[in-house]
Amino acid sequence: MNGAMGFLDKLKNKAQKAKGRSKEEAGRQSGDPYLEAEGGKDRAAGGAKQVGEQAKDAAKETRRTFES
């Protein structure tokens, strides 16, 4: 169960980053600095969450290594 949740979290984080990139680009194209900034915020939040997931994965792998 936990593995499936981790996978879904990673998928959501990637989707958030992609959505942020799209908003940023739309803001640039339309000259809307607020939309561009909102996109940057979404992209950064998704990236930070991805880093957190990677850290959790590394911790799990380290734990498995020492349990063996």
Side-chain angles (χ1 to χ4, degrees), residues 4 7 9 11 16 18 20-22 24 30 44-45 49 51 53 57 59-60 62 67:
F7 176 76
D9 288 341
L11 202 58
Q16 184 175 10
R21 274 195 292 276
S22 296
E24 268 186 309
S30 67
K49 289 176 187 176
V51 169
E53 288 295 324
D57 290 346
K60 287 177 190 174
T62 301
E67 287 176 350

Side-chain angles (χ1 to χ4, degrees), residues 15-40:
Q16 184 175 10
K17 279 182 71 173
K19 178 179 151 190
R21 274 195 292 276
S22 296
K23 280 184 180 180
E24 268 186 309
E25 186 58 31
R28 272 190 218 108
Q29 295 293 324
S30 67
D32 184 346
Y34 298 106
L35 183 59
E36 187 176 351
E38 186 179 329

